[in-house]
Amino acid sequence: EASPETSSTLYLLPWGAPGAGVASIPEVDQREAMSLIYAAGTVEALMLVPVCMLADTQAAGAMSAYAAAVLIILSAAGLSELLAERLPCDKVVSDVLSGPWSDPPLAKLFTRPLSLWAWEEPKAATGHSTAVQEGMPTVESEMVCVALRTCSLGTMIDGRAALAAVVAEVYAEGLAVVGMRMTYPDDNTTQLAFSAALRAAIHVGEPVLLLALRGPHALSIWRNLLGPADPVLARRTDPTSLNARFGGQSRRETLALAPPSSCTRAQADVALAFGGRIDAASGGHPSAPQGLPVHALRMAVPELYAVELP
């Protein structure tokens, strides 16, 4: 993970509607600001967290109306120009962000072992919950890990709008973004990637934005939204797909690669990207972090459960 430095500044981006109290669809200005900031290449660290994690920080009051927020550490280089950028919704980036914050407890949240936060199913564009409704059969939720490569955004068509489109279309299809973090894979991480899809998407030393998507039929929905991995082919066969609209001229310049073909492999990718690690020095019995909830995943194919322990 990136480490906060004196030349970096920490900001918070509210995520979801104010007053909702639970996981909700990010607002238009939030999606646009997140997309522009990420594509600008000045992000050093990024993570989606529930607002309850901010309880002991200086930002608790500023974020109290929201269920979640994105912690972002931005490089000082070009920061003033970035904050002054005007979004398509006609707001300025600085109007959407909260900060800057100089608060060590906030920066320490980047050491948190797990970034999954939303337990309730989202509401689709129709306004109906994707959870089980009266008289309807049960549909098991699936999870998929999406890797968006920073290095390819500069070669994409309108790369500054790519992430906003991904988030908007994911929620419109009844899925939810339940995890988001930026990481810098090392050689060990790339070797541990379970699926061929994730191994091909991450490269040593190159920053990558990881999203965890959840919802009924998440694998097939994300595959259809994404389209073929070759952007040129996608523009011929699936012109409305994300890869067709935002991809460059080769597979190396694709927005993201196709997800695994099975739920088992997809769940293993999510566990690798968001499941945290046990320090070998702890002897396999780590103590619970003080003042923070502990999150865990239990794998039971074909189901994935998330629990919060006090």
Side-chain angles (χ1 to χ4, degrees):
E1 302 293 335
S3 298
E5 300 177 356
T6 56
S7 60
S8 306
T9 309
L10 194 152
Y11 286 84
L12 286 168
L13 173 68
W15 198 250
V22 295
S24 60
I25 300 174
E27 305 278 82
V28 172
D29 57 347
Q30 297 165 1
R31 299 195 301 262
E32 291 179 353
M34 181 75 265
S35 190
L36 188 150
I37 291 169
Y38 183 67
T42 60
V43 177
E44 296 185 353
L46 180 155
M47 186 169 68
L48 174 67
V49 298
V51 163
C52 64
M53 299 299 294
L54 309 178
D56 297 326
T57 71
Q58 298 174 3
M63 293 290 107
S64 61
Y66 300 91
V70 182
L71 278 72
I72 310 172
I73 294 180
L74 296 173
S75 169
L79 180 58
S80 57
E81 292 82 359
L82 176 64
L83 295 177
E85 287 253 18
R86 189 164 295 277
L87 302 170
C89 67
D90 208 33
K91 286 188 177 181
V92 175
V93 172
S94 60
D95 292 338
V96 185
L97 294 177
S98 174
W101 297 95
S102 179
D103 185 20
L106 272 176
K108 288 181 179 178
L109 290 178
F110 283 99
T111 64
R112 181 171 174 263
L114 184 66
S115 301
L116 296 177
W117 72 280
W119 296 278
E120 297 187 10
E121 298 294 348
K123 290 187 176 181
T126 59
H128 299 294
S129 172
T130 57
V132 179
Q133 300 178 34
E134 185 178 354
M136 296 183 66
T138 300
V139 178
E140 296 292 346
S141 285
E142 299 173 351
M143 294 192 72
V144 57
C145 178
V146 176
L148 301 180
R149 296 194 300 270
T150 302
C151 62
S152 61
L153 288 181
T155 59
M156 286 180 183
I157 300 172
D158 198 14
R160 289 156 50 113
L163 182 55
V166 168
V167 174
E169 293 179 32
V170 159
Y171 276 95
E173 291 294 332
L175 305 182
V177 177
V178 298
M180 181 163 56
R181 63 193 297 236
M182 184 176 178
T183 187
Y184 298 78
D186 56 18
D187 186 62
N188 184 53
T189 302
T190 57
Q191 296 300 319
L192 288 173
F194 189 73
S195 73
L198 186 58
R199 284 197 303 272
I202 60 178
H203 303 278
V204 176
E206 292 184 2
V208 59
L209 183 65
L210 300 172
L211 307 178
L213 310 182
R214 190 185 71 180
H217 312 296
L219 271 173
S220 60
I221 288 174
W222 173 244
R223 187 178 292 110
N224 290 336
L225 285 174
L226 194 58
D230 184 337
V232 176
L233 176 62
R235 285 191 276 273
R236 295 176 185 167
T237 62
D238 300 81
T240 62
S241 67
L242 291 167
N243 274 336
R245 288 151 48 204
F246 298 106
Q249 299 302 317
S250 69
R251 289 176 64 94
R252 177 66 178 172
E253 298 171 357
T254 189
L255 177 64
L257 296 176
S261 57
S262 72
C263 292
T264 304
R265 292 179 180 274
Q267 291 169 359
D269 284 347
V270 173
L272 172 68
F274 294 93
R277 305 290 181 269
I278 295 177
D279 187 350
S282 69
H285 300 285
S287 58
Q290 296 298 316
L292 298 178
V294 178
H295 300 258
L297 295 177
R298 180 172 75 85
M299 307 294 291
V301 180
E303 297 175 340
L304 179 69
Y305 298 90
V307 296
E308 180 178 358
L309 306 176

